[in-house]
């Protein structure tokens, strides 16, 4: 049993040393597979990182009926507010799903509107919107992505994408 | 050399010490209950996630690791109901290798399936469910030496669980300390003013000094927790501070899953005497875990 104890002690020391290396996060380890696996499964975090909380993206969805654009809705925001009204976590999960659909599509750097519309993710998202929110009589949808950024105790708002699709 | 030898002896004694049976039960069963509740709330969203963002098996290895996803893609309700039944059984019976391993595997697959709505809580949950596979000592071997090895591995896994919790805080605290937005308080301003974080029913506004102070209070808490928690004289205060911190995250920052799973992990540090006092409700037979060698 002494041998087993020694092996476990060694394993613990190695794990602690490796963890400290990943916590210090040297640049040469950033994109390695070991780093990804370790930081995803063995050392989850960090949480509330700067890159995730300084920028915020909202989707405004509008559709055209009889040649007229109707007032936009923000499904993720509506579900988020519904969660706070009812405290039902299912609403929060729905809000996260709504956000994931557009974040995975519009946060890819350097994509033109035409490129976005040609991606598989866009068609999945469009289908989801039609099934969930857009009425059958609508002949087009318009997606507006707005970026809010907080810096120096102030907010800046910018329209990042406007995509119109049949 | 003497110091190393002393630490090795201390470590060996810890591994050979009495098993933390009550704490293990007190830690694992709330994790199972949390996963149970999570599945209930995820249910309708998972249907859409599977339908619109289907998981694609890109390598032969994934066919093995994510085999339960095949069942989920074939019949999601059957997958979820069978997972719920397993969790119910695991919450009633004694913690053991089979249910622990199966629950980890299913939870890991569930997180993959629900990746569009996953967040830090899923990674924390899966990490501790993985470590909990090594926590039980049941079913035990007949051989005394193998039983002793089970006991040592269980104690090691318990120590590793505690260490991981401490490391999660070190990582988060260190990242915040090296971030300009956190040091200046901009991060707190951002959390309070941007959408999808703060409870929209609250209307909060502070001056810059308060944002900076709040940010530093969070950084100091996250950096001190992993050290102070190991000292018995600070443990209760640190746990109370941590629970308050995570209740704040649940109610103000709209992260009920993350806040809850972090509070559950605090069971690892609850003084065992507290649980002994509530032995009747705990329903654990400590003798069944005690090493008989």
């Amino acid at each position: 049993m002494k041998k087993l104890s020694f092996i476990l002690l060694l394993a613990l020391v190695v794990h602690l040393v490796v963890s400290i290396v990943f916590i210090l996060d040297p640049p040469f380890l950033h994109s390695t597979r070991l780093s990804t696996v370790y930081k995803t499964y063995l050392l989850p975090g960090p949480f509330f990182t700067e890159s995730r909380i300084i920028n915020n993206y909202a989707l405004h969805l509008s559709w055209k009926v009889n040649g007229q654009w109707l007032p936009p809705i923000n499904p993720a925001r509506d579900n988020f507010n519904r969660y706070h009204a009812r405290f039902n976590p299912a609403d929060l999960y729905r809000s996260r799903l709504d956000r994931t659909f557009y974040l995975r599509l519009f946060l890819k750097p350097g994509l033109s509107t035409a490129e976005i519309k040609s991606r598989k993710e866009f068609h999945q998202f469009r289908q989801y919107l039609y099934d969930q929110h857009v009425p059958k009589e609508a002949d087009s949808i318009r997606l507006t992505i707005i970026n809010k950024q907080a810096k120096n105790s102030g907010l800046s708002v910018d329209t990042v994408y406007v995509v119109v699709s049949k | 050399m003497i110091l190393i030898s002393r630490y090795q002896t201390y470590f060996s004694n810890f591994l050979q010490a009495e098993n933390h049976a009550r704490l293990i039960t007190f830690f694992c069963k709330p994790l199972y209950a949390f996963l149970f509740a999570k599945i209930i709330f995820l249910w309708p969203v998972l249907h859409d996630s599977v339908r619109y963002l289907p998981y694609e098996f890109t390598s032969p290895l994934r066919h093995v690791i994510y085999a339960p996803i095949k069942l989920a893609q074939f019949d999601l309700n059957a997958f979820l109901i069978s997972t719920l039944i397993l969790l119910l059984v695991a919450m009633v019976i004694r913690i053991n290798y089979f249910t622990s391993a199966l629950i980890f595997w299913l939870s890991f697959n569930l997180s993959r399936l629900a990746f569009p709505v996953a967040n830090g809580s899923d990674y924390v949950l899966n990490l501790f469910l993985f470590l909990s596979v090594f926590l039980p000592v049941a079913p035990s071997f007949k051989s005394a030496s193998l039983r002793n090895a089970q006991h040592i591995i269980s104690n090691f896994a318990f120590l590793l669980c505690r260490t991981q919790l401490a490391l999660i805080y070190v990582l988060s605290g260190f990242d915040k300390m090296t971030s300009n937005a956190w040091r200046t308080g901009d991060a707190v301003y951002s959390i309070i003013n941007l959408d999808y974080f703060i409870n929209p029913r609250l209307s909060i506004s502070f001056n810059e000094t308060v944002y900076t102070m709040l940010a530093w209070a969070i950084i100091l808490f996250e950096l001190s927790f992993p050290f102070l928690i190991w000292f018995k004289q600070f443990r209760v205060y640190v746990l109370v501070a941590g629970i308050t911190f995570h209740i704040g995250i649940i109610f103000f920052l709209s992260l009920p899953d993350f806040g809850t799973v972090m509070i559950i992990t605090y069971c690892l540090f609850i003084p065992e005497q507290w649980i002994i006092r509530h032995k009747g409700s705990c329903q654990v037979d400590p003798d069944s875990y005690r090493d008989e060698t």
Side-chain angles (χ1 to χ4, degrees), chain A residues 54-57 146-150 155-157, chain B residues 193-195:
Chain A
I54 295 297
N55 275 301
N56 201 300
Y57 294 87
I146 291 172
N147 170 228
K148 261 192 194 177
Q149 192 176 43
L155 287 176
S156 64
V157 182
Chain B
N193 287 286
L194 290 182
D195 298 335

Side-chain angles (χ1 to χ4, degrees), chain B residues 16 31 37 62 85 118 139 166 196 279 289:
Chain B
Q16 306 265 0
L31 281 182
R62 287 178 183 228
I85 292 171
Y196 309 114
K279 191 180 170 187
Y289 288 89

Side-chain angles (χ1 to χ4, degrees), chain A residues 1 8 15 42 47-48 50 53 56 77 80-81 83-84 93-94 96 100 104 120 131-132 152-153, chain B residues 48 51-53 56 116-117 119 145 148 164 172 176 179 182 186 190 194-195 199-200 208 254 257:
Chain A
M1 288 306 136
L8 292 176
H15 172 62
L42 290 171
F47 304 111
F48 291 100
E50 188 175 326
I53 56 175
N56 201 300
R77 182 62 194 254
F80 183 77
N81 289 344
Y83 161 71
H84 283 287
Y93 287 132
R94 174 68 61 187
R96 283 186 202 161
T100 303
R104 66 201 278 268
K120 186 178 84 179
D131 290 347
Q132 296 283 328
N152 303 323
S153 298
Chain B
D48 285 337
R51 183 176 169 200
Y52 297 101
L53 303 166
E56 286 164 11
V117 295
N119 66 5
S145 64
N148 199 20
Q164 285 307 109
S172 254
K176 287 183 178 70
S179 146
W182 273 97
D186 269 354
S190 173
L194 290 182
D195 298 335
N199 185 336
E208 276 184 46
S254 320
D257 40 5

Side-chain angles (χ1 to χ4, degrees), chain A residues 80 83-84 92 96, chain B residues 196-200 248-257:
Chain A
F80 183 77
Y83 161 71
H84 283 287
L92 195 61
R96 283 186 202 161
Chain B
Y196 309 114
F197 287 115
I198 197 80
N199 185 336
I249 286 180
I250 291 171
F251 288 104
F252 296 116
L253 297 189
S254 320
L255 287 168
D257 40 5

